[in-house]
Amino acid sequence: MDHPIKRDHSRFRKIVKGRIRDNLRKYVSAGEMPVPKGDGTFKIPMPSIDIPRFKFGDRQQGGQGQGDGQPGDPVDGQQGEGGEPGQGEAGEGEGNKELEVDLSLDELASILGEELELPNIEPKGKKTLESTTDKYSSIGTVGPDALKHYKRSYKEALKRQIALGTYDPNNPTIIPVKADMRYRSSNTVVEFENSAVVIYMMDVSGSMGDEQKEIVRTESFWINLWLKSQYKDIEIRYIIHDATAKEVDETTFFRTRESGGTLISSAFKLCRDIINSDYNSSEWNIYPFHFSDGDNWSTDDTKLCLDILDNEIIPQSNVFCYGQVESRYGSGQFYKDLNSKYGEKSDEVILSKIKNKDAILDSIKDFLGKGK
Amino acid sequence: MRSFDLLRSKPISGELLKLKEEIHQYAIDYGLDFYPVVFEVVDYDTINILAAQGGFPSRYPHWRFGMEYDQLSKGYRYGLQKIYEMVINTNPCYAYLLKANHLVDQKIVMSHVYGHADFFKHNAWFRNTDRNMMDVMANHGTKIRRYMEKYGQDKVEEFIDKVLSLENLMDANVLFETSEIKRKREEKLVALEEEVAGQTDDRSQALKSFMRAKKRNDVDPSLPPSPDEENFDQMAPHEDIGSRDIMRYLLEYAPLKEWEADILGCLRDEAYYFLPQRVTKIMNEGWASYWHSKIMTKKALRSSEIIDFADKHAGVMAMSKQNINPYKIGIELMRDIEYRWNSGRFGKEYVDCNDMVEKSHWDLDSGLGREKIFEVRRTHNDITFIDEFFTEEFCNRMQLFTYKYNPRTGRNEIESRDFLTIKQKLLSSLTNFGQPLIEVESGNYANRGELLLRHTHQGVDLDLAYAADTMKNIYAIWKRPVNMATKQDGNEIVYCFNGKEMKPV
């Protein structure tokens, strides 16, 4: 039987996620996902619920510390050497609810998967990409000392001594000679991998501001992270478009600010061409993502878009994802158009509206939650 | 109900047991005296559970334990924090050892724990704590679980949330009930129990006194009792006016349902149980650290373990620029006292001596150090400890400073290294265990049955947003408007929460 605290724990999680006890919602300090800080460390905000109490205003209070420094020197930002140990006494637990940690991308991806309860992706198609790895899975009689397998070597020695009758159970001394030595040796293994490509398309027309791009950037960071954890090899292509589309590198993708009209079909055409020329859909898992604020130039163009999607992009892709970032200028029409055609339950097209930064996680869950 | 079976904990055996016996003997030889200490070996998940529950294996159901557990497990999983030692102030004392710890760590923990155990038994502020708290906590859990079944989990939990809002509104003097007061109270309780015969006796102490209050005020329970009513005679709330024990005040005079009063009483008991540990944090950790250091370096340490010990010890003693490390200040102050009393650096003669050379060579060889620190651990709490023994020399040696938020640069900056400033600030941060000083001024404010609280301003304003939400929670218990007299930006001001919002009167 589980300890009752597991029930308290799941209750806490439910409150944080806003499923129960709505009146506590305002005391929840949000934050589930690690925030990259740029130097390889991540801030992991701990979700917590603050019980209101009479307490002192923070600012005037200040505090005391220990160490070097002149009056006027800052005290923030430097952690004490070695952390304070977890405290034994009960009772108090207030303080900083944020952890700063070094995380590898793999760990980060698994946190993402865990927090959002993402299913593993079922790759389609054959495993075609060949890769070779050396695995130390067998034993040889020659090799460098560093790879010496002591257990096997001593077993050999024991066998030899028993066979020779020099083994004395009362004085079990085993001395290996050179011929007894065994070493780990490698076998070359050929593995077939699934390969995947992500094609990001973004509307960079005048109505997409910095805030919207930031949302797209953050979201694509997490999407890449997840897909990378699922596929060993992954290619990423970037397309930006206003009235015309072009393929760009990653930096340009997030930096460019164009202006002018929007023809979404231009991006879809380019996307189609890239798929046709570089990625055979029977071998590749293809993920086209399109982000825009939902404005398109004309209904004719929208019709053309749906046409290309239907006949050429969707049949080749695992899933087509459209994320609509809310902006002050965008009409959001494109979402409605797609929605009326594919609906929300479609297996081939996933639609998501991203209102603001806080909605990014939900949107990622929309996109990746189906395990496709 | 004991629920160790739910936990994967087991008593120590083998080598650990031998170590325990060895260290136990060292502790005894040094003159430490404690209730029996029971060590249990637990894995990290179990220690996280225990720590989340304040050290106790069984508590009432509440999300906050889940929250603590969530944070502790995450911290452990990312390798950022690890709980080292945990010891519970009960008789016998329970202490937990983390299974994965190195043997040196276990030795440090054991020595440290004996220090705490001695402190629990002898410090004056712990004299009235309930040493059966393990059972009491479990009983509270059972009771509250029963209420949840009866009235619904959300409803009961919501009420608990409100009470937790008041958990810091305690009066440390309650810990210091003199024996006479205690005897009187017990007599009253016995009398009361006879009156309410037939009731089972698993109610909290506080509920019993609550019921006494109710009896006197049977006219119309929906009305908030007012101090001026006639039927509030000899035991009138007058004696509670000016009380900082706000939980008790509400328990006695707020129009509570019986189950609400019972829960409030339970939570108050628990809060007061933990209070002594809050008012002796520096001393308690200092004392335990002093002894783990003494026992390890003089007796228990093997030569092969020195580096590991030094590493661990240094980690625990690390100074921080943002906070005072109670372990560090505590152990250093204990050692300083021992040194001063060993060399006779105390008393009028030493203080009055103005010859710095003579002072620095002062040694009367009085050898009173050990005796003195045992006395200090018995009679002091953090405030008196700092007030009496925190000297200028010590302050400089510890490289202490105060810092303050600088609105111009938007960061905290070192403010001063002046001894008096630091001591002042240190003391005020310990005053009322670091919580705002708030007392009940009237239960019939403006003759309208409103509650008036007074915040004694000591230089720092209250956080208004928090105050508003807290008053909302008190309102939900008091069921009449709640007022709060305080100072903001230097101006006297009374805020009133009228059921909808908090605004200045």
Side-chain angles (χ1 to χ4, degrees):
Chain A
M1 189 181 133
D2 258 354
H3 191 273
I5 201 161
K6 306 283 160 153
R7 283 202 289 275
D8 294 338
H9 190 216
S10 75
R11 196 159 171 86
F12 167 69
R13 306 287 302 173
K14 279 185 196 154
I15 295 172
V16 167
K17 293 193 170 150
R19 294 203 196 116
I20 50 170
R21 296 290 314 280
D22 230 15
N23 48 349
L24 279 175
R25 187 77 178 155
K26 68 185 258 212
Y27 304 119
V28 173
S29 70
E32 292 279 304
M33 292 313 302
V35 184
K37 283 185 68 206
D39 55 352
T41 62
F42 291 84
K43 259 198 182 139
I44 302 186
M46 298 277 208
S48 67
I49 304 171
D50 234 354
I51 294 171
R53 299 217 164 114
F54 287 124
K55 65 166 204 173
F56 294 120
D58 282 337
R59 297 253 154 123
Q60 295 169 24
Q61 203 174 5
Q64 310 93 41
Q66 272 183 294
D68 305 322
Q70 297 294 316
D73 287 355
V75 297
D76 301 319
Q78 292 144 302
Q79 300 293 322
E81 296 161 44
E84 203 182 315
Q87 291 169 1
E89 254 66 25
E92 281 165 296
E94 282 143 274
N96 199 3
K97 293 289 191 279
E98 248 177 12
L99 300 175
E100 269 183 36
V101 276
D102 281 302
L103 285 178
S104 70
L105 290 178
D106 281 348
E107 287 171 310
L108 209 52
S110 77
I111 296 171
L112 177 75
E114 204 174 290
E115 291 293 347
L116 297 184
E117 295 154 3
L118 296 179
N120 283 330
I121 288 177
E122 292 280 343
K124 64 164 197 176
K126 299 192 295 276
K127 298 187 169 191
T128 50
L129 208 69
E130 215 174 85
S131 72
T132 59
T133 39
D134 289 341
K135 286 198 170 163
Y136 284 90
S137 53
S138 75
I139 299 288
T141 51
V142 287
D145 269 1
L147 290 175
K148 196 183 279 171
H149 196 307
Y150 284 93
K151 203 170 174 184
R152 293 288 280 264
S153 303
Y154 274 83
K155 260 190 191 163
E156 288 300 323
L158 179 61
K159 269 196 251 172
R160 179 179 48 77
Q161 287 190 0
I162 290 173
L164 288 174
T166 57
Y167 176 71
D168 174 12
N170 296 321
N171 180 26
T173 320
I174 300 168
I175 302 159
V177 297
K178 190 155 193 307
D180 298 327
M181 294 305 177
R182 293 294 179 271
Y183 303 86
R184 285 167 225 271
S185 77
S186 65
N187 282 338
T188 303
V189 185
V190 180
E191 281 179 344
F192 291 95
E193 299 285 339
N194 285 293
S195 47
V197 58
V198 189
I199 303 169
Y200 286 111
M201 292 168 272
M202 180 167 51
D203 177 1
V204 288
S205 61
S207 50
M208 290 282 285
D210 285 340
E211 198 187 322
Q212 282 77 24
K213 286 206 195 99
E214 180 64 33
I215 289 174
V216 175
R217 191 211 311 270
T218 314
E219 181 143 355
S220 59
F221 170 81
W222 291 109
I223 292 171
N224 285 344
L225 188 71
W226 180 248
L227 292 176
K228 274 180 187 161
S229 76
Q230 299 284 314
Y231 293 103
K232 194 169 178 193
D233 284 294
I234 192 161
E235 288 190 23
I236 300 166
R237 308 283 287 259
Y238 296 97
I239 296 171
I240 55 173
H241 75 91
D242 46 17
T244 57
K246 58 186 170 202
E247 190 179 353
V248 294
D249 61 21
E250 186 177 345
T251 333
T252 328
F253 182 75
F254 291 114
R255 297 279 155 75
T256 318
R257 185 186 178 108
E258 311 266 318
S259 55
T262 316
L263 287 176
I264 297 179
S265 64
S266 63
F268 286 7
K269 278 181 197 155
L270 183 58
C271 172
R272 171 196 65 195
D273 296 344
I274 290 178
I275 294 175
N276 287 341
S277 66
D278 295 347
Y279 305 103
N280 176 351
S281 70
S282 63
E283 288 171 11
W284 289 82
N285 291 280
I286 301 171
Y287 294 91
F289 278 85
H290 182 227
F291 295 98
S292 94
D293 57 2
D295 252 345
N296 203 3
W297 187 255
S298 65
T299 45
D300 285 347
D301 190 67
T302 303
K303 216 174 267 168
L304 182 59
C305 289
L306 296 179
D307 223 35
I308 300 174
L309 267 185
D310 246 2
N311 296 324
E312 301 181 78
I313 296 185
I314 293 177
Q316 310 209 48
S317 308
N318 283 37
V319 62
F320 175 83
C321 299
Y322 172 69
Q324 184 159 293
V325 190
E326 205 145 284
S327 94
R328 263 188 296 162
Y329 312 104
S331 63
Q333 185 57 40
F334 198 60
Y335 183 93
K336 289 177 202 152
D337 294 335
L338 288 174
N339 199 20
S340 64
K341 184 160 167 62
Y342 298 103
E344 277 169 7
K345 293 263 146 59
S346 167
D347 267 356
E348 296 155 329
V349 178
I350 298 175
L351 306 174
S352 175
K353 275 188 188 171
I354 313 154
K355 263 206 196 110
N356 49 37
K357 276 190 170 172
D358 297 336
I360 290 176
L361 283 180
D362 290 335
S363 159
I364 294 174
K365 193 165 166 61
D366 286 344
F367 286 147
L368 303 174
K370 294 195 172 161
K372 293 191 63 105
Chain B
M1 185 192 82
R2 285 270 301 283
S3 52
F4 273 119
D5 0 334
L6 284 176
L7 296 164
R8 293 148 296 238
S9 77
K10 54 174 191 198
I12 55 173
S13 55
E15 194 165 359
L16 276 178
L17 188 60
K18 256 187 248 158
L19 278 178
K20 181 210 145 158
E21 277 158 7
E22 182 189 337
I23 289 169
H24 180 260
Q25 194 53 49
Y26 296 143
I28 300 275
D29 292 347
Y30 272 120
L32 296 182
D33 172 46
F34 33 78
Y35 298 118
V37 179
V38 179
F39 285 96
E40 307 253 345
V41 179
V42 296
D43 62 16
Y44 78 93
D45 191 47
T46 308
I47 207 159
N48 284 341
I49 291 174
L50 287 164
Q53 302 195 133
F56 289 87
S58 178
R59 296 291 294 270
Y60 56 89
H62 195 265
W63 54 260
R64 72 173 172 141
F65 304 122
M67 175 171 86
E68 290 289 331
Y69 174 70
D70 188 76
Q71 288 166 354
L72 288 167
S73 339
K74 275 200 178 138
Y76 183 86
R77 201 142 40 100
Y78 299 134
L80 293 174
Q81 40 169 274
K82 195 163 86 171
I83 292 166
Y84 241 39
E85 45 111 352
M86 203 162 33
V87 48
I88 316 302
N89 170 29
T90 47
N91 181 11
C93 250
Y94 282 90
Y96 304 104
L97 299 171
L98 189 57
K99 196 154 108 200
N101 267 355
H102 205 276
L103 224 48
V104 192
D105 298 348
Q106 310 287 32
K107 283 183 173 177
I108 303 177
V109 171
M110 286 179 187
S111 329
H112 194 87
V113 161
Y114 282 119
H116 278 309
D118 172 80
F119 196 89
F120 288 151
K121 187 171 173 185
H122 289 282
N123 183 271
W125 298 83
F126 285 83
R127 192 166 302 149
N128 289 317
T129 52
D130 190 340
R131 312 282 174 180
N132 288 322
M133 212 52 191
M134 206 69 106
D135 297 335
V136 175
M137 291 276 189
N139 288 343
H140 288 175
T142 312
K143 244 195 300 191
I144 290 176
R145 226 165 269 132
R146 217 181 289 146
Y147 287 134
M148 284 181 167
E149 279 159 23
K150 197 163 170 193
Y151 302 104
Q153 183 172 15
D154 281 5
K155 194 171 170 188
V156 173
E157 192 181 66
E158 234 164 87
F159 183 74
I160 293 176
D161 289 351
K162 294 197 174 86
V163 175
L164 292 179
S165 245
L166 318 172
E167 217 186 21
N168 61 339
L169 304 176
M170 287 185 280
D171 186 353
N173 292 321
V174 171
L175 300 177
F176 246 166
E177 237 177 4
T178 62
S179 55
E180 198 185 355
I181 296 176
K182 201 177 161 102
R183 188 166 45 81
K184 267 190 195 162
R185 194 186 50 147
E186 274 161 5
E187 277 170 9
K188 254 186 242 157
L189 278 174
V190 173
L192 177 77
E193 266 159 37
E194 283 160 7
E195 276 177 54
V196 282
Q199 301 276 14
T200 48
D201 191 32
D202 65 338
R203 288 145 207 275
S204 62
Q205 297 277 308
L207 177 64
K208 289 172 189 156
S209 69
F210 163 76
M211 282 165 36
R212 189 182 66 232
K214 268 271 189 292
K215 263 197 160 5
R216 280 181 275 110
N217 190 27
D218 253 349
V219 198
D220 184 354
S222 70
L223 275 179
S226 91
D228 297 335
E229 277 174 54
E230 278 182 2
N231 52 355
F232 251 77
D233 45 284
Q234 68 280 38
M235 284 288 297
H238 301 299
E239 73 181 37
D240 292 315
I241 295 302
S243 165
R244 282 183 247 152
D245 190 352
I246 291 179
M247 278 196 273
R248 173 168 178 166
Y249 187 87
L250 291 175
L251 190 58
E252 302 234 354
Y253 304 113
L256 293 166
K257 297 196 182 68
E258 191 174 316
W259 67 268
E260 291 176 324
D262 196 15
I263 289 179
L264 179 52
C266 290
L267 265 53
R268 179 177 172 276
D269 287 352
E270 295 189 6
Y272 274 100
Y273 166 81
F274 286 117
L275 188 56
Q277 300 180 25
R278 296 174 70 168
V279 300
T280 56
K281 180 90 186 157
I282 298 175
M283 284 187 72
N284 204 340
E285 291 306 347
W287 183 251
S289 300
Y290 175 91
W291 285 109
H292 87 229
S293 163
K294 187 67 85 192
I295 291 175
M296 287 300 281
T297 53
K298 296 274 184 207
K299 307 273 183 190
L301 203 57
R302 310 281 174 269
S303 50
S304 62
E305 298 169 337
I306 286 176
I307 302 285
D308 283 335
F309 169 76
D311 183 43
K312 287 287 147 49
H313 184 73
V316 177
M317 296 301 148
M319 305 189 292
S320 149
K321 289 205 165 188
Q322 283 104 7
N323 289 308
I324 292 283
N325 179 351
Y327 293 76
K328 174 75 177 169
I329 296 295
I331 190 176
E332 294 291 350
L333 211 43
M334 286 290 176
R335 284 175 177 164
D336 191 56
I337 295 168
E338 186 178 28
Y339 170 73
R340 283 171 56 202
W341 262 260
N342 269 341
S343 56
R345 290 168 194 242
F346 61 93
K348 186 169 161 41
E349 258 176 71
Y350 178 73
V351 175
D352 287 349
C353 172
N354 286 322
D355 183 344
M356 290 317 278
V357 179
E358 194 184 334
K359 248 186 152 167
S360 70
H361 290 97
W362 196 281
D363 191 359
L364 301 180
D365 201 17
S366 33
L368 298 168
R370 189 58 61 77
E371 195 184 319
K372 183 67 183 176
I373 56 173
F374 270 94
E375 175 199 317
V376 168
R377 78 95 163 73
R378 199 172 65 240
T379 52
H380 283 268
N381 68 9
D382 278 351
I383 294 187
T384 59
F385 184 56
I386 295 289
D387 191 32
E388 190 159 343
F389 302 108
F390 187 84
T391 62
E392 188 158 5
E393 293 86 5
F394 180 79
C395 177
N396 293 337
R397 194 146 49 80
M398 288 293 109
Q399 293 183 287
L400 290 168
F401 58 77
T402 64
Y403 65 80
K404 207 172 178 147
Y405 180 76
N406 182 344
R408 252 195 16 253
T409 54
R411 56 187 194 188
N412 284 314
E413 287 173 357
I414 295 181
E415 184 194 14
S416 165
R417 285 187 179 277
D418 174 56
F419 164 64
L420 284 177
T421 317
I422 294 169
K423 187 162 180 175
Q424 188 54 48
K425 206 156 182 179
L426 197 51
L427 285 173
S428 69
S429 76
L430 293 170
T431 302
N432 201 37
F433 46 96
Q435 301 296 325
L437 208 61
I438 291 169
E439 55 188 32
V440 182
E441 182 151 307
S442 166
N444 187 25
Y445 180 55
N447 205 21
R448 288 194 298 251
E450 298 182 8
L451 188 65
L452 175 64
L453 303 174
R454 177 166 296 279
H455 168 222
T456 309
H457 196 280
Q458 291 161 313
V460 185
D461 291 353
L462 289 179
D463 183 317
L464 279 188
Y466 273 73
D469 286 337
T470 312
M471 281 163 72
K472 187 174 164 199
N473 284 345
I474 300 179
Y475 176 88
I477 294 172
W478 187 249
K479 301 191 177 65
R480 292 282 301 146
V482 177
N483 299 274
M484 159 76 103
T486 180
K487 254 192 208 172
Q488 280 286 327
D489 302 321
N491 302 319
E492 294 277 353
I493 192 161
V494 177
Y495 289 100
C496 174
F497 185 87
N498 58 10
K500 288 190 194 72
E501 52 176 349
M502 183 182 84
K503 52 185 181 200
V505 179

